[in-house]
Structures are given as C-alpha cells and as structure tokens.
Amino acid sequence: ISPGQLTKKYSSCSTIFIDDSTVSQPNLRSTIKCVTLAIFYHIKNRDSDRSLDIFDEKSHPLTREEVPDDYYKHDPDHKHIYRFVRTLFSAAQLTAECAIVTLVYLERLLTYAEIDICPSNWKRIVLGAILLASKVWDDQAVWNVDYCQILKDITVEDMNEMERHFLELLQFNINVPASVYAKYYFDLRSLADDNNLSFLLEPLSKERAQKLEAISRLCEDKYKDLSKAAMRRSFSADNLVGIRRSNAILS
C-alpha cells in the first residue's frame, strides 16, 4: 500500500483529532514509524533516480566505512530507514512534531528540486530535513556540531553545506501552517490504519491550531534574511537563529 505524495484534504483545524491530547506531542514511536513508512514508499515507488551531488552518499559519505560500488541499486527496507531516523531522534531528543515537519520538508524538497529520494541519497536527504525541522520547531535547537557528535564521521563543513543547499532548493520556504501540519498528521494516520499500526486520537483544540500558526509565522520571520547569508560557502542557520547556544547532545 502506497500513499504516494500526501495530498488528501481534511476539515478545518478546529475539528481535527490527534493523539496524546495535544497536537505538539503525538506518540513519538508511532509517528516515526509512519513517517519512515512514507519515506520507504517514496523510495519504492519512484519513477527515476534524479538526484544532486550534495545528497549523494558516495560523494559525501556519512561514515568512514567504504560505500559499496552498487550502493545505488538496493532499496532500503522500512526497518533500516526507521532505525536511522529513530537513532537521530533519540540521540538529539527530538519530538514527534519534528518528525511530521521533517516529512513536510522532505516532500517539499522533492517537489521544488524535482529530484527523487533513492538508495544513493535517502540518508542525506532525511538528515537534511531533520536538521532543518529540529531548528525550526524544537524549543532547544540541535546545532550542526551536535549532529556531528551523533554521527561521528561527518564534518561540520559538510553539514553546513548540505543545509545551505537544502534551504536554497526549498527556496527558503520553511513555513508550515497548522493546516498543512494537520493534513500530514491525518495522512500519516491513514497510512497507519492501512498498515495495521496503532495511532490513538484525541481532539485538537482551536487554541493549539492558532499556536501552530503563530510559531510558523515566527519561524518565517527568523529566516527572512537567510537568502543573503546563503552566499557564504559554509553558511549555517546556526548563525541566524535567535536561540542561546546549548550544550552538545553527546559529550
């Protein structure tokens, strides 16, 4: 069963339903399972292997282990994708909300850049989407150097360069209104139902929907000067986000 591009439409934010009582804290494990299942179907049902060098794992490996010559031929299974994402979310202490926004940014990248997520690029595309989503939506952003401590072998310069390209390909459109977030939430819920995954629901209040809209507008304001800073080769949103520097996730 494949959802393809998530394009279903649902009712207004004041009448939608979510789990764990609030829209910002749906069940993390279930959400990551559904998000990674959507990514799996994107890879499985792609029409071609359009990609860019910045996301290619052979050109920019995430580990010191040698990338096999046939790395582009073998689609990852769902468990492999889930373990990769779960490891990042656990180490960086990211939220379920961040997982949903990660999928929004990932699909937006595929559309804007006209590329496919495939065996050769899926890890770096997913990492780029997580990195941006965590900075935009989490109260304490995980900085690029923190991800380098999680992944160990990747450099800060590589992370900065990938982030810059990701943002440019998104045309710096990082806005995720509550209505878009809600649509993705319910598409993921439908995906869970189709694949016998548990996804318990409770109502979302109008106040919560309004809060999401406010957060989205605030984030958009923070990044309005991003395109100017992107001219620097090793640009990172770390330099622009008005959040006090936090300690590294792993010491």
Side-chain angles (χ1 to χ4, degrees), residues 62 79 221:
L62 296 179
K79 289 183 179 180
D221 290 341

Side-chain angles (χ1 to χ4, degrees), residues 93-110:
Q93 301 177 13
L94 303 178
T95 64
E97 180 185 43
C98 183
I100 296 177
V101 177
T102 292
L103 183 61
V104 174
Y105 288 153
L106 185 149
E107 290 195 347
R108 192 173 290 176
L109 175 76
L110 300 183

Side-chain angles (χ1 to χ4, degrees), residues 176-195:
V176 183
S179 58
V180 171
Y181 177 89
K183 181 185 78 68
Y184 271 78
Y185 183 92
F186 274 93
D187 283 341
L188 290 170
R189 177 199 171 195
S190 297
L191 184 62
D193 291 341
D194 291 340
N195 289 271

Side-chain angles (χ1 to χ4, degrees), residues 5-249:
Q5 200 78 4
L6 300 180
T7 56
K8 297 179 183 177
K9 296 184 182 298
Y10 295 91
S11 57
S12 67
C13 293
S14 61
T15 57
I16 64 176
F17 291 86
I18 51 86
D19 76 331
D20 286 1
S21 301
T22 72
V23 71
S24 61
Q25 294 295 330
N27 181 269
L28 179 61
R29 186 165 177 262
S30 296
T31 305
I32 292 178
K33 277 191 175 182
C34 292
V35 166
T36 53
L37 192 59
I39 295 170
F40 167 76
Y41 283 130
H42 273 299
I43 298 172
K44 180 180 179 181
N45 298 320
R46 69 190 185 279
D47 295 325
S48 60
D49 292 312
R50 299 170 299 174
S51 188
L52 294 169
D53 180 73
I54 190 63
F55 299 120
D56 190 277
E57 196 172 347
K58 187 77 169 181
S59 302
H60 304 275
L62 296 179
T63 68
R64 295 178 183 176
E65 296 180 6
E66 184 176 356
V67 179
D69 292 334
D70 61 348
Y71 71 108
Y72 60 90
K73 295 181 180 179
H74 305 292
D75 292 355
D77 58 25
H78 177 230
K79 289 183 179 180
H80 188 184
I81 301 171
Y82 173 79
R83 285 196 298 267
F84 178 77
V85 175
R86 180 69 179 176
T87 297
L88 290 174
F89 269 70
S90 296
Q93 301 177 13
L94 303 178
T95 64
E97 180 185 43
C98 183
I100 296 177
V101 177
T102 292
L103 183 61
V104 174
Y105 288 153
L106 185 149
E107 290 195 347
R108 192 173 290 176
L109 175 76
L110 300 183
T111 299
Y112 282 30
E114 298 183 344
I115 61 176
D116 302 287
I117 186 167
C118 55
S120 65
N121 65 18
W122 72 268
K123 284 185 179 180
R124 289 180 62 84
I125 287 178
V126 170
L127 175 60
I130 292 174
L131 179 125
L132 183 57
S134 66
K135 289 183 177 181
V136 172
W137 288 90
D138 273 9
D139 292 335
Q140 286 192 329
V142 185
W143 297 64
N144 290 3
V145 66
D146 297 328
Y147 283 102
C148 293
Q149 293 187 50
I150 295 170
L151 294 171
K152 301 298 184 184
D153 296 328
I154 193 170
T155 65
V156 175
E157 291 75 19
D158 184 17
M159 291 286 288
N160 291 349
E161 187 75 359
M162 181 175 64
E163 179 187 21
R164 180 177 69 82
H165 277 82
F166 203 108
L167 284 161
E168 287 179 340
L169 291 168
L170 286 184
Q171 300 173 27
F172 298 91
N173 179 12
I174 60 169
N175 184 31
V176 183
S179 58
V180 171
Y181 177 89
K183 181 185 78 68
Y184 271 78
Y185 183 92
F186 274 93
D187 283 341
L188 290 170
R189 177 199 171 195
S190 297
L191 184 62
D193 291 341
D194 291 340
N195 289 271
N196 298 317
L197 297 176
S198 176
F199 220 58
L200 300 177
L201 306 174
E202 289 188 14
L204 167 67
S205 68
K206 183 177 180 180
E207 289 73 21
R208 279 290 181 177
Q210 291 174 338
K211 183 176 180 180
L212 277 181
E213 295 283 3
I215 292 173
S216 181
R217 288 194 297 269
L218 176 62
C219 292
E220 191 172 38
D221 290 341
K222 284 183 178 180
Y223 283 81
K224 64 182 178 181
D225 294 328
L226 217 50
S227 57
K228 296 179 182 179
M231 298 304 294
R232 299 197 298 272
R233 182 181 182 277
S234 295
F235 161 79
S236 167
D238 288 354
N239 301 322
L240 292 183
V241 179
I243 301 175
R244 183 172 60 186
R245 183 67 170 85
S246 60
N247 295 329
I249 296 301

